[in-house]
Amino acid sequence: MANYDVIVIGGGPGGYVCAIRCAQLGLKTACVEGRESLGGTCLNVGCIPSKALLHASHMLHESMHNFTKMGLGGTAPDVDWKQMLAYKDDVIGQNTKGIEFLFKKNKIDWLKGWGSIPEAGKVAVGDEIHGTSNIVIATGSEPSSLPGVEIDEKTVVTSTGALELGKIPKKMAVIGAGVIGLELGSVYARLGTEVTVIEFLNEITPGMDGDVQKTLQRILKKQGLSFILGAAVQNTKVVKTGAKVVYRLRKDDSEHVLNTDTVLLATGRRPYSAGLGLEKLGIEMSAQGQIKTGGELQTGIPGIYAIGDVIDGPMLAHKAEDEGMAVAEIIAGKRGHVNYDVIPGVIYTHPEVATVGKTEEQLKAEGRAHKAGKFSFMGNGRAKAAFAGEGFVKLLADRDTDRILGCHIIGPSAGDLIHEVCVAMEFGASAEDLALTCHAHPTFSEAVRESALACGDGPIHS
């Protein structure tokens, strides 16, 4: 039996980051992972492969719609689906092998297999029992299911199956208008698939800023995606020609059938902790299947911690990473820090959507006096040159103190631009602080400054 200071169960973004930070802090560390490669869902069948396909399909879109406007002639490229999937797999390999290299560099033992916790201070992997002073559960999440929808990962697929379809379907029904559904729906729409998104609520991207929701849906409609909102999916059925999706419209309870080739179930994710033995240990769980933790991310049992998708909070890789680093610091006797008020979220459609902090709807519900500075990318010279003038930056600040409370961006490089606001919020900056900061010209980031100016006397280019 090997003895460790820390054993992390799960090699995804939260787990591998936690393991690396523990090792950097001088702790003898091991990480349990049953996949053939490290990186978890994110690197293997999630964030990374989907971004590869989003990038490839966006290049195709640009060649078909914008190249000739810039004087770039010739026919649009043909789509070699097998080669596109091979490119995606190569990107996965580069990233997962990179994590394996970091484990070796930091002298972290990879315990290959699926882990369980027979008792505090012990982790079982196969027939082997390993002793440890601390255990960090970082087992992540799995796709949520829906009654009446039977997944076979061929015709009715989750995001995993959607990343490796045998061919590009002519028609695809996407159940759920959240991040996963819109990103993968965008990929296939660019590749020529007729994509229909079915959403239970009356708006897309639930919980996001209302202006962003309306603008993104309008833009995606122009890109060829169709939307059926306020619809409750009853069931799906695989037939010889593909699949049938039966749904009811909530406004009148009328039943409808959508014929399609492929169904993508994208109704979110749920915590995954099966096989760990948590019930026997007496670890408290929420009604949603999340592990309950205290202020220092520790469960009710001393020396057992939990991070990432398996606990409360947004299911985001970077949130899990932050918690992984915080737990490592805590175990090493330092202070761990996660600011849950400043965790950005991004949708990698085109244009991208990025958000951090409060939405205007939340501030109104709280009765908090605020001001909103909004600036359209049509007023940004760089955006117009890149055919990316659709969208805006909306900055929210306290009406009395001018402190930044949130920001919502739909536009070019939104996922990168949001971090300027994240840093500002981390330091408690005001909208005026952002407005008085010189921004290089011409850049997309000037739109962020203009939104800050709009919180005061007004933007310059609007």
Side-chain angles (χ1 to χ4, degrees), residues 25-82:
L25 294 171
L27 302 170
K28 185 180 179 184
T29 306
C31 182
V32 181
E33 176 55 59
R35 289 181 188 267
E36 292 300 313
S37 55
L38 296 165
T41 294
C42 180
L43 270 66
N44 288 279
V45 290
C47 320
I48 298 302
S50 65
K51 300 313 162 285
L53 293 183
L54 280 161
H55 176 68
S57 60
H58 178 60
M59 293 297 99
L60 176 67
H61 175 86
E62 289 291 281
S63 70
M64 294 172 66
H65 298 279
N66 289 329
F67 276 15
T68 56
K69 298 175 186 177
M70 297 182 284
L72 302 173
T75 58
D78 295 325
V79 176
D80 184 336
W81 181 236
K82 287 185 178 179

Coordinates of all heavy atoms in Angstrom, one line a residue, residues 25-82:
L25 N 3.3 22.4 -4.2 CA 3.4 22.9 -2.8 C 4.1 21.8 -2.0 O 4.1 21.9 -0.7 CB 2.0 23.2 -2.3 CG 1.3 24.4 -3.0 CD1 -0.2 24.4 -2.5 CD2 2.0 25.7 -2.6
G26 N 4.7 20.8 -2.6 CA 5.5 19.9 -1.9 C 4.8 18.7 -1.3 O 5.4 18.0 -0.5
L27 N 3.6 18.5 -1.7 CA 2.8 17.3 -1.2 C 3.0 16.1 -2.1 O 3.0 16.2 -3.3 CB 1.3 17.7 -1.1 CG 1.0 18.9 -0.2 CD1 -0.4 19.3 -0.4 CD2 1.3 18.6 1.2
K28 N 3.2 14.9 -1.5 CA 3.2 13.7 -2.3 C 1.8 13.4 -2.8 O 0.9 13.2 -2.0 CB 3.8 12.6 -1.5 CG 4.0 11.3 -2.3 CD 4.5 10.1 -1.4 CE 4.7 8.9 -2.3 NZ 5.2 7.7 -1.4
T29 N 1.7 13.4 -4.2 CA 0.3 13.4 -4.8 C 0.1 12.3 -5.8 O 1.0 11.9 -6.5 CB 0.1 14.8 -5.5 OG1 0.4 15.8 -4.5 CG2 -1.3 14.9 -6.0
A30 N -1.1 11.8 -5.8 CA -1.5 10.8 -6.8 C -2.9 11.2 -7.3 O -3.6 11.9 -6.7 CB -1.6 9.4 -6.2
C31 N -3.1 10.9 -8.6 CA -4.4 11.2 -9.2 C -5.0 9.9 -9.8 O -4.3 9.2 -10.5 CB -4.2 12.2 -10.3 SG -5.8 12.7 -11.1
V32 N -6.3 9.6 -9.4 CA -6.9 8.4 -9.9 C -7.8 8.8 -11.2 O -8.6 9.7 -11.1 CB -7.9 7.8 -8.9 CG1 -8.6 6.6 -9.4 CG2 -7.1 7.6 -7.6
E33 N -7.6 8.1 -12.3 CA -8.3 8.3 -13.5 C -8.5 7.1 -14.3 O -7.5 6.4 -14.6 CB -7.6 9.4 -14.3 CG -8.3 9.7 -15.7 CD -9.8 10.0 -15.6 OE1 -10.1 11.0 -14.9 OE2 -10.6 9.3 -16.1
G34 N -9.7 6.7 -14.6 CA -10.0 5.5 -15.3 C -10.0 5.6 -16.8 O -9.9 4.5 -17.5
R35 N -10.0 6.8 -17.4 CA -9.9 6.9 -18.8 C -8.6 6.5 -19.3 O -7.6 6.5 -18.5 CB -10.2 8.4 -19.2 CG -11.6 8.9 -19.1 CD -11.7 10.3 -19.6 NE -13.0 10.9 -19.3 CZ -14.0 11.0 -20.2 NH1 -13.8 10.4 -21.3 NH2 -15.1 11.6 -19.8
E36 N -8.5 6.3 -20.6 CA -7.2 6.0 -21.2 C -6.3 7.2 -21.3 O -5.1 7.1 -21.5 CB -7.4 5.4 -22.6 CG -8.0 4.0 -22.6 CD -7.2 3.0 -21.8 OE1 -5.9 2.9 -22.1 OE2 -7.7 2.3 -21.0
S37 N -6.9 8.4 -21.1 CA -6.1 9.6 -21.2 C -6.6 10.6 -20.1 O -7.8 10.5 -19.7 CB -6.2 10.3 -22.5 OG -7.6 10.5 -22.9
L38 N -5.7 11.5 -19.7 CA -6.1 12.5 -18.6 C -6.9 13.6 -19.3 O -7.0 13.7 -20.5 CB -4.8 13.0 -18.0 CG -4.0 12.0 -17.2 CD1 -2.6 12.5 -16.8 CD2 -4.8 11.6 -15.9
G39 N -7.5 14.5 -18.5 CA -8.2 15.6 -19.0 C -9.7 15.6 -18.8 O -10.3 16.6 -19.0
G40 N -10.2 14.5 -18.4 CA -11.6 14.4 -18.2 C -12.5 14.7 -19.4 O -12.1 14.6 -20.5
T41 N -13.8 15.0 -19.1 CA -14.7 15.3 -20.1 C -14.3 16.5 -21.0 O -14.3 16.4 -22.2 CB -16.1 15.6 -19.5 OG1 -16.6 14.4 -18.9 CG2 -17.1 16.1 -20.6
C42 N -13.7 17.5 -20.3 CA -13.4 18.7 -21.0 C -12.4 18.5 -22.2 O -12.6 18.9 -23.3 CB -12.8 19.7 -20.0 SG -12.2 21.3 -20.7
L43 N -11.3 17.8 -21.9 CA -10.3 17.7 -22.9 C -10.6 16.5 -23.9 O -10.2 16.6 -25.0 CB -8.9 17.4 -22.3 CG -8.1 18.7 -22.0 CD1 -8.7 19.5 -20.9 CD2 -6.7 18.3 -21.5
N44 N -11.3 15.5 -23.4 CA -11.6 14.3 -24.3 C -12.8 14.4 -25.1 O -12.8 14.1 -26.3 CB -11.6 13.1 -23.4 CG -10.2 12.7 -22.9 OD1 -9.4 12.1 -23.6 ND2 -9.9 13.1 -21.6
V45 N -13.9 14.8 -24.5 CA -15.2 14.8 -25.2 C -16.1 16.0 -24.9 O -17.3 16.0 -25.0 CB -16.0 13.5 -24.8 CG1 -15.4 12.3 -25.4 CG2 -16.2 13.4 -23.3
G46 N -15.4 17.1 -24.6 CA -16.2 18.3 -24.3 C -15.6 19.6 -24.8 O -15.6 19.8 -26.1
C47 N -15.1 20.5 -23.9 CA -14.6 21.8 -24.3 C -13.6 21.8 -25.5 O -13.8 22.5 -26.5 CB -13.9 22.5 -23.1 SG -14.7 22.2 -21.5
I48 N -12.6 21.0 -25.4 CA -11.5 21.1 -26.4 C -11.9 20.6 -27.8 O -11.8 21.2 -28.8 CB -10.2 20.4 -25.9 CG1 -9.7 21.1 -24.6 CG2 -9.2 20.3 -27.0 CD1 -9.4 22.5 -24.8
P49 N -12.5 19.3 -27.9 CA -12.9 18.9 -29.2 C -14.0 19.7 -29.9 O -14.0 19.9 -31.1 CB -13.4 17.4 -29.0 CG -13.6 17.3 -27.5 CD -12.6 18.3 -26.9
S50 N -14.9 20.2 -29.0 CA -16.0 21.1 -29.6 C -15.4 22.4 -30.1 O -15.9 22.9 -31.2 CB -17.1 21.3 -28.5 OG -16.6 22.1 -27.5
K51 N -14.4 22.9 -29.5 CA -13.8 24.2 -30.0 C -13.0 23.9 -31.3 O -13.0 24.8 -32.2 CB -12.9 24.8 -28.9 CG -13.5 25.1 -27.6 CD -14.8 25.9 -27.8 CE -15.7 25.9 -26.6 NZ -16.4 24.6 -26.4
A52 N -12.4 22.7 -31.4 CA -11.8 22.4 -32.7 C -12.8 22.4 -33.8 O -12.5 22.9 -34.9 CB -11.1 21.0 -32.5
L53 N -13.9 21.7 -33.6 CA -14.9 21.7 -34.7 C -15.6 23.1 -34.9 O -15.9 23.4 -36.0 CB -16.0 20.7 -34.3 CG -15.6 19.2 -34.3 CD1 -16.7 18.3 -34.0 CD2 -14.9 18.8 -35.6
L54 N -15.7 23.8 -33.9 CA -16.2 25.2 -34.0 C -15.3 26.0 -34.9 O -15.7 26.8 -35.7 CB -16.5 25.8 -32.7 CG -17.8 25.5 -31.9 CD1 -17.7 25.8 -30.5 CD2 -18.9 26.2 -32.5
H55 N -14.0 25.9 -34.6 CA -13.0 26.6 -35.4 C -13.0 26.2 -36.8 O -13.0 27.1 -37.7 CB -11.6 26.4 -34.8 CG -10.5 27.1 -35.5 ND1 -10.3 28.4 -35.6 CD2 -9.5 26.5 -36.3 CE1 -9.3 28.7 -36.4 NE2 -8.8 27.6 -36.8
A56 N -13.0 24.9 -37.1 CA -12.9 24.4 -38.5 C -14.2 24.8 -39.2 O -14.1 25.3 -40.4 CB -12.8 22.9 -38.5
S57 N -15.4 24.7 -38.6 CA -16.6 25.1 -39.3 C -16.7 26.6 -39.5 O -17.3 27.0 -40.5 CB -17.8 24.5 -38.6 OG -17.9 25.0 -37.2
H58 N -16.1 27.4 -38.6 CA -16.1 28.8 -38.8 C -15.3 29.2 -39.9 O -15.6 30.1 -40.7 CB -15.7 29.5 -37.5 CG -15.6 31.0 -37.6 ND1 -16.7 31.8 -37.9 CD2 -14.6 31.9 -37.5 CE1 -16.4 33.0 -38.0 NE2 -15.1 33.1 -37.7
M59 N -14.1 28.5 -40.1 CA -13.3 28.8 -41.3 C -14.1 28.6 -42.6 O -13.9 29.3 -43.5 CB -12.0 28.0 -41.2 CG -11.1 28.3 -40.1 SD -10.4 30.0 -40.2 CE -11.4 30.8 -39.0
L60 N -14.8 27.5 -42.6 CA -15.7 27.2 -43.7 C -16.7 28.3 -44.0 O -16.9 28.7 -45.1 CB -16.4 25.8 -43.5 CG -17.4 25.4 -44.7 CD1 -16.6 25.2 -46.0 CD2 -18.2 24.2 -44.2
H61 N -17.3 28.7 -42.9 CA -18.3 29.8 -43.0 C -17.7 31.1 -43.6 O -18.3 31.7 -44.4 CB -18.9 30.1 -41.6 CG -19.9 31.2 -41.6 ND1 -21.2 31.1 -41.9 CD2 -19.7 32.5 -41.3 CE1 -21.8 32.3 -41.8 NE2 -20.9 33.2 -41.4
E62 N -16.5 31.4 -43.1 CA -15.8 32.6 -43.6 C -15.5 32.5 -45.1 O -15.7 33.4 -45.8 CB -14.5 32.8 -42.8 CG -14.7 33.3 -41.3 CD -15.3 34.7 -41.3 OE1 -14.5 35.7 -41.4 OE2 -16.5 34.9 -41.1
S63 N -15.1 31.3 -45.5 CA -14.7 31.1 -46.9 C -15.9 31.2 -47.8 O -15.8 31.7 -48.9 CB -14.0 29.7 -47.1 OG -15.0 28.7 -46.9
M64 N -17.1 30.8 -47.3 CA -18.3 30.8 -48.1 C -19.0 32.2 -48.1 O -19.6 32.6 -49.1 CB -19.3 29.8 -47.5 CG -18.8 28.4 -47.7 SD -19.9 27.2 -46.8 CE -21.4 27.3 -47.7
H65 N -18.8 33.0 -47.0 CA -19.6 34.2 -46.9 C -18.8 35.5 -46.9 O -19.3 36.6 -47.3 CB -20.4 34.2 -45.6 CG -21.4 33.1 -45.6 ND1 -22.7 33.1 -46.2 CD2 -21.4 31.8 -45.0 CE1 -23.3 32.0 -46.1 NE2 -22.6 31.2 -45.3
N66 N -17.5 35.5 -46.6 CA -16.8 36.7 -46.4 C -15.5 36.8 -47.3 O -15.0 37.9 -47.5 CB -16.4 36.9 -44.9 CG -17.6 37.3 -44.1 OD1 -18.6 37.9 -44.6 ND2 -17.6 36.9 -42.8
F67 N -15.0 35.7 -47.7 CA -13.7 35.8 -48.5 C -13.9 36.7 -49.7 O -13.0 37.5 -50.0 CB -13.3 34.4 -48.9 CG -12.5 33.7 -47.8 CD1 -12.5 34.1 -46.5 CD2 -11.8 32.5 -48.1 CE1 -11.8 33.5 -45.5 CE2 -11.0 31.9 -47.1 CZ -11.1 32.3 -45.8
T68 N -14.9 36.5 -50.5 CA -15.0 37.3 -51.7 C -15.2 38.8 -51.4 O -14.7 39.6 -52.3 CB -16.3 36.8 -52.6 OG1 -17.4 36.9 -51.7 CG2 -16.1 35.4 -53.0
K69 N -15.7 39.1 -50.3 CA -15.9 40.5 -49.9 C -14.5 41.2 -49.7 O -14.3 42.4 -49.8 CB -16.7 40.7 -48.6 CG -18.1 40.2 -48.8 CD -18.8 40.3 -47.4 CE -20.2 39.7 -47.4 NZ -20.9 39.7 -46.1
M70 N -13.5 40.3 -49.4 CA -12.2 40.8 -49.1 C -11.2 40.7 -50.3 O -10.0 40.9 -50.2 CB -11.6 40.1 -47.9 CG -12.3 40.4 -46.6 SD -11.6 39.6 -45.1 CE -12.1 37.8 -45.4
G71 N -11.8 40.2 -51.4 CA -11.0 40.1 -52.6 C -10.3 38.7 -52.7 O -9.3 38.6 -53.4
L72 N -10.8 37.7 -51.9 CA -10.2 36.4 -51.9 C -11.1 35.5 -52.8 O -12.2 35.1 -52.3 CB -10.1 35.9 -50.5 CG -9.2 36.7 -49.5 CD1 -9.3 36.2 -48.1 CD2 -7.8 36.7 -50.0
G73 N -10.7 35.2 -54.0 CA -11.6 34.5 -54.9 C -11.4 33.0 -54.8 O -10.6 32.5 -54.0
G74 N -12.0 32.3 -55.7 CA -11.9 30.8 -55.8 C -13.2 30.2 -55.1 O -14.0 30.9 -54.5
T75 N -13.3 28.9 -55.3 CA -14.4 28.2 -54.8 C -14.2 27.9 -53.3 O -13.1 27.8 -52.9 CB -14.7 26.9 -55.6 OG1 -13.5 26.1 -55.5 CG2 -15.0 27.1 -57.0
A76 N -15.3 27.7 -52.6 CA -15.2 27.4 -51.2 C -14.7 26.0 -51.1 O -14.9 25.1 -51.9 CB -16.6 27.5 -50.5
P77 N -13.9 25.7 -50.0 CA -13.3 24.3 -49.8 C -14.4 23.3 -49.6 O -15.5 23.5 -49.1 CB -12.5 24.5 -48.6 CG -13.0 25.6 -47.9 CD -13.6 26.6 -48.9
D78 N -14.1 22.0 -50.0 CA -14.9 20.9 -49.8 C -14.7 20.5 -48.3 O -13.7 20.7 -47.8 CB -14.6 19.7 -50.7 CG -14.9 20.1 -52.2 OD1 -15.9 20.8 -52.4 OD2 -14.1 19.6 -53.0
V79 N -15.7 19.8 -47.8 CA -15.7 19.3 -46.4 C -15.3 17.9 -46.4 O -16.0 17.0 -46.9 CB -17.0 19.5 -45.6 CG1 -16.9 18.9 -44.3 CG2 -17.4 21.0 -45.6
D80 N -14.1 17.6 -45.9 CA -13.7 16.2 -45.7 C -13.9 15.9 -44.2 O -13.1 16.2 -43.3 CB -12.2 16.1 -46.0 CG -11.6 14.7 -45.9 OD1 -12.3 13.8 -45.2 OD2 -10.6 14.4 -46.6
W81 N -15.1 15.3 -43.9 CA -15.5 15.0 -42.6 C -14.5 14.1 -41.8 O -14.2 14.4 -40.6 CB -16.9 14.4 -42.6 CG -17.5 14.2 -41.2 CD1 -18.0 13.0 -40.8 CD2 -17.7 15.1 -40.2 NE1 -18.5 13.1 -39.5 CE2 -18.4 14.4 -39.1 CE3 -17.5 16.4 -40.0 CZ2 -18.7 15.0 -37.9 CZ3 -17.8 17.1 -38.8 CH2 -18.4 16.3 -37.8
K82 N -14.0 13.1 -42.5 CA -13.1 12.2 -41.8 C -11.8 13.0 -41.4 O -11.3 12.8 -40.3 CB -12.7 11.0 -42.7 CG -13.9 10.0 -42.8 CD -13.4 8.8 -43.6 CE -14.5 7.8 -43.7 NZ -14.1 6.6 -44.5

